[in-house]
Amino acid sequence: MSDLGSGDEGISGGSKYNVANMEGSSSRNDFDSSGKGGGTVEQELATKMLQIQSKRFYLDVKQNRRGRFIKVAEIGADGRRSQIYLALSTAAEFRDHLSSFSDYYASLAGQNTGPPNTDNLPEDGKLKSEMMIKDYRRYYLDLKENARGRFLRVSQTITRGGPRSQIALPAQGMIEFRDALTDLLEEFGANDGGFKGDLPEERHMKVDNKNFYFDIGQNNRGVYMRISEVKNNFRTSITIPEKCWIRFRDIFNDYCDKMKKTSDPITADINLPTSANSLK
């Protein structure tokens, strides 16, 4: 039985695969690298590419202020792509489910190179289903069969709203996919990492024709604040580690106090030189 073309059934992926677009085009969530004023810093730690029948799958281990995760991108033969995001702990759970699905797939009767017998299939084509929950994200795993073969559809939804994303993995490639996940998890572990609380939201301030953005992020060296100045198409920024925020604030407050005294008319009059006062 062939699994070629098993990703029909409304599998998403409306745009052509573009490496640059994939980094910031998805809806904003914990794994998204996009953001106002430059967003958060995202590091790519490792990547694997699998060729499974007519499809390519990219497994990218990434890290942002929320921790580490795996972005799974499916690239069809026509260049269309779709992708889902998995926290490392979710990827470990998914790896275990892949073993279960692979065993079930191997136990199915009538596995041969001929066309599948769809007479005894459920109406929706589902052979086996599981669900994973991670925070406000849900993942639906459905081993399905249609006229062109068997495949595992993995759908990601967000309970607080947002588009549904999904990939379709040919059933014959589940073991290879599982082994690739296992290699990445052995290297990076199943701990999502990241800051254990909610980082403050970004802030924005406009002064005359300049825009200032304050973004809180995290990398392997800790939490930091990036302050960016944007004027027309020109952008500059500085990064301040969390360990020196208090000192930075104290210096800034000191300048504010001194400038306030200087600009205060009464104080300024008292501090004027004697020769200047004599002119009044």
Side-chain angles (χ1 to χ4, degrees):
M1 176 184 301
S2 174
D3 294 325
L4 286 172
S6 59
D8 52 316
E9 294 209 19
I11 297 302
S12 63
S15 60
K16 292 289 184 179
Y17 176 60
N18 183 290
V19 174
N21 288 341
M22 286 183 66
E23 295 303 322
S25 61
S26 64
S27 61
R28 192 175 181 188
N29 55 47
D30 287 353
F31 301 133
D32 189 10
S33 62
S34 63
K36 297 179 181 178
T40 60
V41 174
E42 183 176 276
Q43 294 177 288
E44 182 170 303
L45 306 179
T47 186
K48 281 183 175 289
M49 193 276 285
L50 304 176
Q51 182 75 42
I52 302 177
Q53 296 183 358
S54 62
K55 297 181 178 182
R56 281 175 294 145
F57 292 88
Y58 291 86
L59 286 71
D60 300 322
V61 180
K62 293 177 174 289
Q63 176 175 282
N64 63 16
R65 66 189 180 96
R66 294 292 185 179
R68 291 178 175 179
F69 60 95
I70 297 179
K71 181 178 73 175
V72 181
E74 171 199 336
I75 316 300
D78 58 356
R80 295 182 180 273
R81 58 99 175 173
S82 54
Q83 61 194 31
I84 61 171
Y85 294 86
L86 302 166
L88 291 184
S89 58
T90 309
E93 183 180 355
F94 180 42
R95 183 265 317 273
D96 296 339
H97 281 306
L98 280 174
S99 295
S100 175
F101 276 98
S102 297
D103 291 342
Y104 180 80
Y105 170 67
S107 69
L108 293 176
Q111 294 188 44
N112 51 51
T113 57
N117 181 6
T118 59
D119 294 339
N120 298 322
L121 281 179
E123 186 175 347
D124 58 3
K126 292 181 181 179
L127 303 172
K128 177 178 172 63
S129 296
E130 295 288 350
M131 183 178 70
M132 303 184 301
I133 299 177
K134 174 67 175 178
D135 298 329
Y136 47 81
R137 292 179 297 275
R138 293 190 177 189
Y139 300 86
Y140 298 92
L141 316 179
D142 298 307
L143 181 63
K144 305 189 72 173
E145 182 172 348
N146 59 23
R148 293 191 285 180
R150 294 176 178 140
F151 61 96
L152 179 66
R153 186 176 67 185
V154 184
S155 303
Q156 174 189 324
T157 63
I158 302 176
T159 56
R160 66 183 182 183
R164 181 188 184 99
S165 55
Q166 55 191 24
I167 62 171
L169 174 64
Q172 292 178 353
M174 288 191 294
I175 293 178
E176 183 180 359
F177 197 97
R178 180 203 62 190
D179 291 345
L181 270 182
T182 299
D183 289 343
L184 293 174
L185 291 169
E186 286 180 350
E187 180 176 357
F188 296 98
N191 187 345
D192 300 330
F195 184 66
K196 297 306 180 183
D198 291 329
L199 292 178
E201 295 293 331
E202 69 273 5
R203 301 287 294 273
H204 166 249
M205 179 178 68
K206 184 172 184 180
V207 180
D208 298 328
N209 62 340
K210 293 183 179 181
N211 288 282
F212 294 92
Y213 297 93
F214 302 81
D215 296 293
I216 309 300
Q218 183 182 36
N219 56 26
N220 57 354
R221 288 175 292 181
V223 177
Y224 61 87
M225 175 189 296
R226 173 172 287 110
I227 303 176
S228 304
E229 173 193 344
V230 180
K231 180 181 179 182
N232 297 329
N233 293 324
F234 185 73
R235 176 190 184 92
T236 57
S237 63
I238 61 172
T239 300
I240 307 168
E242 182 189 19
K243 63 183 179 182
C244 63
W245 285 2
I246 294 177
R247 179 60 179 157
F248 188 91
R249 179 202 62 189
D250 292 343
I251 294 174
F252 200 82
N253 283 341
D254 185 53
Y255 279 117
C256 290
D257 291 341
K258 289 180 178 179
M259 291 304 297
K260 182 178 180 180
K261 292 178 181 179
T262 303
S263 61
D264 186 357
I266 298 177
T267 306
D269 184 58
I270 293 174
N271 292 333
L272 281 174
T274 304
S275 58
N277 282 326
S278 65
L279 295 177
K280 291 187 177 182

